[in-house]
């Protein structure tokens, strides 16, 4: 049985003060459930959230990590820095990082190996096609290429412990959601690729989320699809009640 997992991605939103206010309100709404929950926040808000969610099952995640421990990499954050804060998750290869910050499958692969080999921090690997690729009917080929390159050299047991988020770029922050069928189909494709690359056990265990304009109004329909184990939620995770409604769905 895979445990459903709903993660919020705050992107570059919320100051420390705003993060504290969110956490206070969210804690009053949150009831311990069977659903795994986490918020992936900007680096400067991670310790605030760790403190605010202490004693609850709400996880805290970063949105990136460098693949070296230290060095002349201005503006970057290392794994030892994240470990010191005690973060539980780390988003890797989000399309906004691939698009605006030159993240490639090669760096994604190095970052995944770093996290999986040297920490217990669970990576949330994001993959997905853009609109042009979807319109050309190339979504499966694109996602397969990303998965093969991103997971190169990573063993089955490590893959089984991670999370993969299928996030069609055309549905992120656009208000355009993939239909439950489109989302379910692609999550099934990803599970099939994992089975082909590894084995049935790994494919049964890996958590596959959908991400792209998930909100309380469409969450139930999406979560009802067999192959979808949860959601990576951007905009709607900024509002405690909306995020809670998605978890409840
Ligand atoms: C995301 O940031 O990963 C995301 C899916 O954003 P949104 O829910 O706002 O589309």
């Amino acid at each position: 049985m895979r445990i459903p997992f709903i993660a919020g991605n705050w992107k570059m939103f919320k100051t420390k003060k705003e993060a504290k206010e969110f956490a206070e309100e969210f804690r009053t709404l949150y009831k311990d459930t069977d659903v795994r929950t986490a918020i992936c926040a900007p680096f400067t808000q991670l310790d605030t959230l760790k403190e605010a969610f202490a004693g609850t099952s709400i996880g805290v995640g970063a949105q990136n990590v460098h693949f070296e421990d230290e060095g002349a990499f201005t503006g970057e954050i290392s794994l030892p820095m994240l470990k010191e804060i005690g973060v539980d998750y780390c988003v890797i290869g989000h399309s906004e990082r691939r698009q605006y910050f030159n993240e490639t499958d090669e760096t994604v692969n190095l970052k995944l190996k770093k996290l999986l080999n040297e920490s217990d921090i669970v990576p949330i690997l994001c993959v997905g096609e853009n609109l042009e690729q979807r319109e050309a009917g190339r979504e499966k080929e694109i996602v397969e290429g990303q998965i093969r390159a991103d997971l190169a050299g990573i063993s089955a047991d490590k893959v089984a412990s991670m999370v993969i988020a299928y996030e069609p770029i055309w549905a992120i922050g656009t208000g355009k959601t993939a239909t439950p069928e489109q989302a379910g189909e692609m999550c099934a494709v990803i599970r099939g690729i994992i089975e082909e690359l590894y084995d049935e056990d790994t494919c049964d265990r890996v958590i596959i989320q959908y991400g792209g304009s998930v909100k309380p109004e469409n969450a139930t329909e999406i979560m009802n699809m067999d192959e979808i184990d949860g959601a990576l939620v951007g905009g709607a995770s900024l509002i405690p009640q909306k995020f809670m409604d998605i978890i409840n769905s």
Side-chain angles (χ1 to χ4, degrees):
M1 268 293 279
R2 295 184 296 270
I3 299 170
F5 179 35
I6 307 287
N9 173 24
W10 278 1
K11 313 186 190 222
M12 196 176 71
F13 287 98
K14 291 201 192 290
T15 62
K16 229 178 208 344
K17 180 172 172 285
E18 290 165 342
K20 262 190 199 153
E21 286 165 3
F22 175 98
E24 271 165 28
E25 190 180 338
F26 190 63
R27 276 197 68 151
T28 64
L29 300 171
Y30 184 79
K31 309 263 175 308
D32 243 335
T33 67
D34 290 342
V35 178
R36 255 162 95 185
T37 305
I39 297 275
C40 302
F43 293 124
T44 53
Q45 271 57 271
L46 295 175
D47 54 358
T48 305
L49 290 186
K50 275 306 283 186
E51 206 176 299
F53 294 149
T56 74
S57 56
I58 307 162
V60 174
Q63 299 172 3
N64 188 24
V65 67
H66 197 275
F67 49 83
E68 295 288 352
D69 272 345
E70 58 183 10
F73 301 109
T74 304
E76 290 291 317
I77 299 283
S78 71
L79 180 58
M81 295 170 192
L82 293 184
K83 280 171 142 177
E84 194 175 42
I85 295 173
V87 307
D88 310 289
Y89 300 94
C90 184
V91 176
I92 297 291
H94 192 279
S95 60
E96 287 151 15
R97 294 217 54 87
R98 293 181 192 253
Q99 193 175 347
Y100 305 128
F101 302 100
N102 301 324
E103 190 84 78
T104 62
D105 286 322
E106 196 182 356
T107 55
V108 165
N109 177 250
L110 290 171
K111 290 173 182 194
L112 288 176
K113 284 178 174 159
K114 185 80 187 170
L115 285 171
L116 291 164
N117 294 335
E118 297 180 32
S119 79
D120 293 327
I121 297 174
V122 176
I124 303 175
L125 165 66
C126 300
V127 294
E129 79 288 354
N130 64 29
L131 186 59
E132 196 186 332
Q133 292 160 340
R134 163 70 59 168
E135 284 177 350
R138 297 181 56 216
E139 64 275 10
K140 292 178 189 152
E141 169 205 337
I142 296 296
V143 167
E144 175 159 6
Q146 289 173 334
I147 301 259
R148 283 181 182 275
D150 296 347
L151 299 184
I154 299 177
S155 63
D157 62 318
K158 301 281 186 206
V159 170
S161 72
M162 58 184 276
V163 177
I164 300 176
Y166 168 60
E167 297 213 308
I169 298 170
W170 47 271
I172 297 180
T174 57
K176 249 191 209 177
T177 322
T179 63
E181 292 72 27
Q182 284 172 323
E185 185 193 11
M186 284 305 290
C187 289
V189 164
I190 292 172
R191 210 173 288 287
I193 298 166
I194 299 297
E195 182 166 16
E196 201 186 310
L197 288 176
Y198 296 94
D199 49 53
E200 202 182 329
D201 179 57
T202 309
C203 121
D204 282 345
R205 284 164 60 200
V206 66
I207 299 285
I208 303 180
Q209 299 174 317
Y210 165 76
S213 300
V214 174
K215 37 190 184 258
E217 298 76 30
N218 60 22
T220 306
E221 254 194 322
I222 292 169
M223 296 313 136
N224 276 343
M225 302 304 288
D226 276 352
E227 294 303 332
I228 303 181
D229 302 324
L232 185 56
V233 184
S237 71
L238 295 168
I239 300 158
Q241 186 63 61
K242 280 197 179 179
F243 192 49
M244 197 60 231
D245 288 346
I246 292 172
I247 293 164
N248 285 336
S249 76

